[in-house]
Amino acid sequence: MLYRKPPGMTYTAMAIAIDKGIRDPDADKELLFEYMWHLFYILAVKGRFFTSGRDYDEYALYAATQLFLRYKKEEAGTSKRIKPIKSCLNYIKKVLYPMKVNYQKTYFEQVIRNEDAKEENYAQLQEDRETMARKSASELMHIEYEQYLESIPKTIKFVLKTSPYQKDKVMMHNIYISCLLTLLKTVTMSNYNKERLKKRTDRVLPVENLIDQIYAEEMSDNTVLYHLDSTMGNYISTLVARIRKEIVKDLRDIVGSFEPSEQVIKDILKSPIEEYVDSNE
């Protein structure tokens, strides 16, 4: 074992220590990193991820490093889509298995032994492994999606920084609420449109074009003015368009950062078949 568990220190206490100290510049970051390692290690053991102690050590080291770097990105504030982690334990539980697959495709370099696989099953095994790699990236991406969507108000405030009404706090509050309500209304289907979609689905008819049409309708002329004069309608519509553009840009960044490259796919295809089988039992 790379790190020995501190006597009398529970895993819950480690998680609490991370949450309290990770953003404190005076905290012992090396110790907090060790706590991250212990949390990944014990949860991987409980999940029976591997068959050797070395893999548990190296997996926990890899995953703890990724989490530590995630905190560093949050601290640097280089991307507004990086939302602060409220509970490291909850976050670790979400990324535990996707991190396992990423660890495998990064570190397992053994060549597939053909004698362990029947030739007729080889192509299927290759395809299954590629699917697993993409699924792992997708799971991590959805976790970041959830984190980002919770921070939509932060994106709205980012756009509103250029507003000429900055010095009027009441006006800015009303503009913020108007943008938030308008944005919510444009992405929420009316009951009428929900019924239209249901009827099409019940008849087993294609719905893609109808969905596009519905959202186009929902986005048109749906400006909500909160304690603002009607003359502010165009201004709020313009702001919401900019906010939506920022959201789309951020979500595309998330997709791009989690889409596995062809090299990553090749790496996972080189990992041993027995490990692939074990991870799916």
Side-chain angles (χ1 to χ4, degrees):
M1 181 176 283
L2 183 61
Y3 297 113
R4 294 294 175 186
K5 182 174 177 290
M9 187 71 170
T10 67
Y11 293 106
T12 300
M14 290 182 189
I16 293 173
I18 295 170
D19 290 337
K20 288 184 176 180
I22 195 63
R23 297 173 183 87
D24 182 353
D26 297 324
D28 186 342
K29 296 301 175 64
E30 290 186 11
L31 180 61
L32 296 181
F33 178 85
E34 288 185 23
Y35 289 168
M36 294 177 200
W37 184 93
H38 280 294
L39 291 173
F40 275 108
Y41 187 97
I42 190 60
L43 289 173
V45 169
K46 288 183 177 180
R48 298 181 179 179
F49 278 7
F50 308 106
T51 56
S52 73
R54 179 180 177 181
D55 280 331
Y56 283 110
D57 275 356
E58 293 186 356
Y59 162 73
L61 183 62
Y62 167 81
T65 300
Q66 297 304 307
L67 178 58
F68 193 80
L69 291 175
R70 171 62 167 73
Y71 278 117
K72 283 292 185 183
K73 288 181 182 178
E74 173 193 318
E75 181 182 345
T78 53
S79 174
K80 61 182 178 298
R81 72 175 177 81
I82 298 295
K83 185 177 184 296
I85 298 172
K86 294 180 180 179
S87 167
C88 73
L89 186 57
N90 288 340
Y91 188 84
I92 287 173
K93 288 178 179 178
K94 287 182 179 180
V95 302
L96 193 69
Y97 184 76
M99 285 284 194
K100 171 185 182 289
V101 179
N102 280 357
Y103 162 74
Q104 288 173 317
K105 69 191 181 191
T106 302
Y107 289 104
F108 289 178
E109 297 177 349
Q110 298 179 35
V111 179
I112 295 176
R113 297 199 296 268
N114 289 336
E115 63 268 24
D116 291 338
K118 294 181 180 179
E119 188 172 341
E120 59 268 25
N121 291 331
Y122 181 80
Q124 184 61 51
L125 282 169
Q126 298 285 74
E127 183 179 342
D128 288 348
R129 283 163 167 250
E130 180 172 342
T131 299
M132 183 175 67
R134 296 190 185 280
K135 180 180 178 182
S136 171
S138 178
E139 289 172 351
L140 285 170
M141 181 178 68
H142 276 86
I143 292 168
E144 288 297 335
Y145 260 159
E146 293 175 5
Q147 294 277 110
Y148 174 76
L149 291 176
E150 291 177 4
S151 65
I152 291 295
K154 187 176 179 181
T155 303
I156 296 175
K157 291 176 181 177
F158 172 79
V159 172
L160 294 186
K161 283 183 178 180
T162 59
S163 173
Y165 301 98
Q166 278 291 320
K167 294 182 179 180
D168 189 333
K169 291 185 178 180
V170 174
M171 182 63 123
M172 286 302 298
H173 174 74
N174 293 340
I175 290 174
Y176 167 78
I177 297 297
S178 297
C179 289
L180 181 60
L181 293 177
T182 300
L183 186 64
L184 289 174
K185 190 173 181 181
T186 59
V187 297
T188 304
M189 283 191 190
S190 65
N191 290 333
Y192 168 72
N193 281 327
K194 287 180 182 178
E195 186 61 28
R196 289 172 65 193
L197 188 61
K198 182 178 182 302
K199 288 180 179 178
R200 179 69 65 93
T201 304
D202 290 344
R203 294 169 62 190
V204 198
L205 296 173
V207 296
E208 288 79 7
N209 290 338
L210 177 60
I211 290 175
D212 290 342
Q213 178 185 338
I214 286 174
Y215 276 110
E217 292 173 359
E218 298 289 357
M219 283 193 290
S220 65
D221 195 29
N222 262 332
T223 304
V224 179
L225 298 177
Y226 179 81
H227 295 170
L228 293 177
D229 188 85
S230 59
T231 57
M232 295 289 287
N234 288 337
Y235 179 62
I236 297 300
S237 296
T238 301
L239 287 175
V240 171
R242 288 176 55 197
I243 292 166
R244 190 181 294 112
K245 185 176 180 180
E246 284 293 324
I247 292 172
V248 169
K249 178 183 175 183
D250 290 339
L251 294 181
R252 281 177 177 168
D253 287 344
I254 293 175
V255 172
S257 64
F258 284 99
E259 179 64 24
S261 65
E262 291 307 311
Q263 185 57 50
V264 164
I265 297 300
K266 290 178 182 178
D267 289 342
I268 195 172
L269 293 180
K270 292 192 296 183
S271 61
I273 281 179
E274 59 269 24
E275 184 60 40
Y276 166 75
V277 174
D278 288 344
S279 69
N280 285 275
E281 288 181 347

